[in-house]
Amino acid sequence: MKHLILDNGSYSVKAGFVSEKAPTVVHNTIVRSKDGLIHTGNEYISQTSQYSGMVFKRPNEQGNLVSWEIERPIWDTTFEELQSGGIDPSSTHLTLTETPFQLPQLSINTDQIVFEEYGFQDYYRCIPASLVPWQLNHQQKDFSFIIDSGFNCTWIVPVIYQSVYWKGIKKFPVGGKLLNGLLREITSFRHYDVSDESILINTIKEATCFVAEDYSKTLNDKQKFMCEFVLPDFKTTATGYIRTPKSITREADEDLQTLKLTDERFTIPEAFYHPEIIFNSSSSNSAKIHNSTLKNLVDLIVESIMTCPEVARPLLSANISVVGGTSKLPNFNERLGHELTRELPSHWVVKINTSEHDPAETSWYGGKRLVESGMLDEVSISKKEYFEHGSNWCQRQFGFKNI
């Protein structure tokens, strides 16, 4: 039987068989371009002349998979792009990830699609963070603290003896999507109206934004971090790029429009540590919001660790894994380690593990190691068991424990 691991993220789907060295990555979206054509998954990438004004529709809302009308064609496209040349569900074991605390009825809908629509032979459903410890070494597996910063939000998940400690899970509502929104608002206010330029905003964020190791010092010296981002003209460039001494030599480079970015580069990601930035940049004038005590990422991490059994707390702080696409922002791990060292007891060790894989794909590689360990057969559900016990059976086996 073949084993397919499918990490169904809000931004992209990472899928591949255990026999493959790397996953196939497909954008988890359906896109409508200005000419009215619909593009599924990665199809829009080749439409460089249509990048302006593209409308993205994703199957996830607030991290929950709510629309199978959108997800189904994306999965079909993903399966067609697999390196092995497609799949035969009747002889395939599926390992699927979903967001923590997914609404039970939505999870049941997923189970029905997996068994009744696709007809997979065996099935295991879990949250992405539970797979991360499997790609760590033997000493690190028992006590793992996962910070999964993705597109919709950032999840904080303690894993003890390869089991998710549900009482300690925290959700911080800052992720790549929110950072894009803040950058779009500030750029539209200071420079040009880019409210319809989703691809441009995401490109600017990935190319220019970083986490300041010392925010106050960086803010005082913000002119040192000024950069010029050349906007796309859809003739010489479709996505834009940072102007450098080398790029100035290009023909027509001087004639292109540019954005001069200074404090935007590090103020936007600072929402992880000063979430009041979100409301200061918005139109909300509510006194309650501005005067409330907002918990930042570090506060929630400390709360999560303190919720765990006392003996496990220092072990968790010494074995932190940061994953997810948003964590690829420069200086993300360094700043997080510095802040946690200040907040946690001085005799505790704070260590953030570095993965040999792309942070956005770490869960997929962890799932691959889980399959290779041979333990997956003990926790999976077969199609026969599903039809014997009914649609609630998977939720009883895979769902989060009531807390």
Side-chain angles (χ1 to χ4, degrees):
M1 183 180 297
K2 288 187 175 182
H3 286 79
L4 174 67
I5 300 104
L6 196 154
D7 183 10
N8 199 50
S10 297
Y11 184 77
S12 62
V13 177
K14 283 76 66 177
F17 292 103
V18 175
S19 58
E20 296 171 357
K21 293 183 178 180
T24 298
V25 181
V26 176
H27 287 264
N28 199 0
T29 184
I30 287 181
V31 184
R32 188 183 75 240
S33 53
K34 287 204 300 187
D35 59 5
L37 295 179
I38 303 299
H39 308 281
T40 304
N42 294 340
E43 292 175 355
Y44 79 92
I45 297 176
S46 61
Q47 309 298 315
T48 54
S49 62
Q50 301 291 330
Y51 274 5
S52 179
M54 279 188 169
V55 178
F56 289 76
K57 184 66 176 177
R58 301 183 185 276
N60 293 291
E61 292 183 10
Q62 300 296 321
N64 294 307
L65 177 54
V66 297
S67 177
W68 273 103
E69 290 80 7
I70 298 175
E71 190 68 271
R72 180 71 187 266
I74 296 172
W75 275 27
D76 292 341
T77 300
T78 303
F79 295 156
E80 290 173 3
E81 292 187 13
L82 290 177
Q83 298 174 12
S84 302
I87 64 170
D88 177 13
S90 62
S91 60
T92 302
H93 180 293
L94 174 65
T95 298
L96 175 67
T97 66
E98 66 174 6
T99 186
F101 299 121
Q102 176 84 282
L103 297 174
Q105 187 56 52
L106 296 178
S107 293
I108 291 173
N109 291 343
T110 299
D111 302 334
Q112 291 174 341
I113 295 291
V114 167
F115 280 122
E116 299 178 23
E117 297 291 332
Y118 282 101
F120 282 97
Q121 184 63 31
D122 283 285
Y123 176 50
Y124 176 64
R125 170 164 54 80
C126 62
I127 66 174
S130 67
L131 299 176
V132 174
W134 290 96
Q135 56 91 40
L136 302 173
N137 61 47
H138 180 71
Q139 289 77 14
Q140 296 173 319
K141 277 185 182 180
D142 292 342
F143 297 91
S144 303
F145 195 79
I146 316 301
I147 300 169
D148 186 356
S149 186
F151 185 66
N152 268 311
C153 65
T154 299
W155 286 100
I156 301 162
V157 183
V159 181
I160 301 176
Y161 291 118
Q162 289 89 55
S163 296
V164 174
Y165 191 74
W166 292 99
K167 292 182 180 179
I169 293 182
K170 303 290 181 183
K171 179 182 179 181
F172 185 56
V174 175
K177 184 178 181 179
L178 186 139
L179 298 185
N180 285 356
L182 292 177
L183 183 59
R184 178 186 291 110
E185 186 171 341
I186 289 179
T187 303
S188 297
F189 178 76
R190 294 183 176 181
H191 306 283
Y192 307 103
D193 182 10
V194 291
S195 55
D196 295 330
E197 307 296 336
S198 299
I199 295 178
L200 174 62
I201 287 296
N202 194 65
T203 302
I204 294 174
K205 181 194 72 176
E206 293 180 350
T208 67
C209 287
F210 65 93
V211 179
E213 293 191 43
D214 186 329
Y215 180 66
S216 298
K217 183 179 178 181
T218 306
L219 187 61
N220 290 333
D221 298 333
K222 63 181 182 180
Q223 291 302 324
K224 294 168 61 176
F225 299 96
M226 190 274 288
C227 75
E228 280 189 282
F229 187 87
V230 178
L231 295 174
D233 63 351
F234 302 103
K235 294 179 181 178
T236 58
T237 175
T239 57
Y241 55 88
I242 297 176
R243 176 176 282 173
T244 62
K246 291 183 178 180
S247 72
I248 294 177
T249 60
R250 299 184 188 182
E251 293 184 8
D253 182 82
E254 294 290 345
D255 298 329
L256 296 175
Q257 285 185 309
T258 63
L259 293 178
K260 289 189 177 181
L261 305 173
T262 53
D263 58 309
E264 301 100 324
R265 299 183 62 194
F266 54 87
T267 300
I268 300 300
E270 192 65 19
F272 282 103
Y273 302 99
H274 293 92
E276 61 272 13
I277 290 173
I278 301 169
F279 303 105
N280 290 339
S281 64
S282 69
S283 58
S284 173
N285 293 316
S286 171
K288 279 188 176 180
I289 291 177
H290 287 283
N291 295 329
S292 63
T293 303
L294 300 172
K295 293 182 179 179
N296 60 32
L297 177 61
V298 175
D299 294 335
L300 292 178
I301 291 174
V302 173
E303 276 190 18
S304 176
I305 292 177
M306 294 305 175
T307 306
C308 298
E310 187 174 353
V311 68
R313 295 171 189 171
L315 299 173
L316 292 171
S317 72
N319 188 24
I320 299 173
S321 295
V322 179
V323 299
T326 305
S327 69
K328 292 193 284 187
L329 286 170
N331 300 331
F332 190 97
N333 290 3
E334 291 79 1
R335 173 70 180 277
L336 182 61
H338 177 68
E339 295 287 343
L340 287 175
T341 301
R342 293 197 305 178
E343 294 294 329
L344 294 172
S346 59
H347 61 282
W348 288 11
V349 174
V350 175
K351 182 181 178 183
I352 298 179
N353 301 318
T354 56
S355 175
E356 58 183 311
H357 307 295
D358 186 322
E361 301 172 3
T362 303
S363 296
W364 185 87
Y365 286 99
K368 181 178 179 179
R369 294 280 183 88
L370 173 60
V371 173
E372 293 170 346
S373 72
M375 296 184 63
L376 198 59
D377 295 336
E378 301 176 14
V379 293
S380 299
I381 288 178
S382 67
K383 182 164 61 175
K384 180 181 178 182
E385 291 174 323
Y386 171 81
F387 284 108
E388 278 184 6
H389 298 283
S391 60
N392 290 321
W393 183 247
C394 292
Q395 186 61 21
R396 289 177 60 184
Q397 300 298 317
F398 304 142
F400 58 87
K401 297 179 181 178
N402 294 325
I403 57 174

